[in-house]
Amino acid sequence: MDLAGKGALVTGGASGIGAAAVRRLAAAGARVAVADRDSAAAEELAGEVGGIALSGDVAEPERMAAHVAAAEDTFGRLDVVLLNAGVTAGQSGVEDLDLARYRRIVGVNMDHVVFGLAAAVPALRRAGGGHVVATASLAGLVPMPGDALYTMTKHAVVGYVRAAAPVLVADGIRVNAVCPGFADTPLIARARPQFGDFPLLTAEDVADAIEAVLDRGQPGECWFVQPGREPAPYGFRGVPGPAGAPRPPAVTWADH
């Protein structure tokens, strides 16, 4: 992966998968903006890789616009955006529902991806194209009983990526998602003892998948990442259409 002269932005970049990705992008020659609510950790990692640190809540739409502007202004261009920030629900969302926690997981896991892509597209166009990768989850491909809200948000990210990607192909912008299984990162730290001997991914495993997606991912692909397996695009089954009907029309916003 050769990213010499390229500019990159990673949200949730100060720890876990984000930090591994920051180091991987920097090693490939990119200048990286490390965005994280933990400003001290972001400063430390940015200093390590020669990038810049950005702080603030990515669930706020103006924050993602500011992050994109700061990265583009500093590096002169923006080519790679990794929308990696994520949180768990801390509740089932079925029998118990704390509204503040619900709003939080939706804001970080879903809204930040929408705000991030919307903010990044103009900058990527100015660079002549680029790549956006959203960190979803295996819970975006299959249900995770006991964590319905997390499953909901990650399914939303997968659906958004798949629908947004074709719209941006003509601009030379590729949009993808990586869908890791359980990874040994701070996100599961409190529940780590429950996994016992269950095989877990490392942050480096997921960084390997992100590198593969940047290298050869096709628009809209959502790559699964599982321990002991090569990361690869998930094969979605097509939904049967109406019997005997022609292909559905390509409906756009202008049609409404």
Side-chain angles (χ1 to χ4, degrees):
M1 185 169 63
D2 182 7
L3 297 177
K6 305 292 187 181
L9 167 64
V10 180
T11 64
S15 65
I17 293 168
V22 165
R23 293 187 175 99
R24 191 68 60 91
L25 293 170
R31 298 182 66 193
V32 188
V34 184
D36 204 284
R37 292 188 77 189
D38 187 340
S39 57
E43 289 281 358
E44 182 177 355
L45 183 55
E48 174 190 326
V49 301
I52 62 170
L54 305 171
S55 63
D57 187 351
V58 294
E60 301 171 357
E62 62 273 14
R63 182 60 58 185
M64 283 310 307
H67 283 350
V68 166
E72 186 182 25
D73 289 348
T74 302
F75 306 144
R77 58 186 296 134
L78 186 62
D79 304 270
V80 177
V81 178
L82 176 55
L83 300 172
N84 170 74
V87 296
T88 56
Q91 58 181 325
S92 74
V94 178
E95 296 180 352
D96 59 324
L97 184 63
D98 180 282
L99 185 57
R101 287 183 175 182
Y102 170 73
R103 295 296 185 200
R104 182 64 186 158
I105 193 171
V106 169
V108 176
N109 290 9
M110 289 170 50
D111 293 349
H112 129 261
V113 174
V114 176
F115 300 154
L117 180 62
V121 164
L124 296 173
R125 282 183 177 138
R126 287 190 286 270
H131 206 143
V132 178
V133 180
T135 302
S137 167
L138 211 63
L141 304 175
V142 296
M144 184 184 292
D147 207 338
L149 295 181
Y150 187 79
T151 298
M152 178 192 75
T153 61
K154 294 305 184 178
H155 268 68
V157 169
V158 165
Y160 181 66
V161 164
R162 296 181 69 204
V167 179
L168 297 170
V169 169
D171 294 304
I173 299 171
R174 284 188 291 157
V175 183
N176 294 102
V178 289
C179 302
F182 291 112
D184 195 0
T185 69
L187 197 64
I188 69 162
R190 294 175 61 183
R192 180 66 178 84
Q194 300 176 31
F195 288 91
D197 295 329
F198 186 86
L200 297 175
L201 294 163
T202 66
E204 288 298 325
D205 291 332
V206 186
D208 288 342
I210 291 169
E211 183 170 348
V213 169
L214 290 173
D215 180 51
R216 58 183 184 275
Q218 296 302 303
E221 289 179 342
C222 300
W223 286 45
F224 67 85
V225 193
Q226 285 281 60
R229 297 182 180 274
E230 286 294 318
Y234 182 72
F236 293 92
R237 295 182 60 185
V239 178
R247 289 177 60 87
V251 180
T252 66
W253 179 253
D255 295 321
H256 294 271

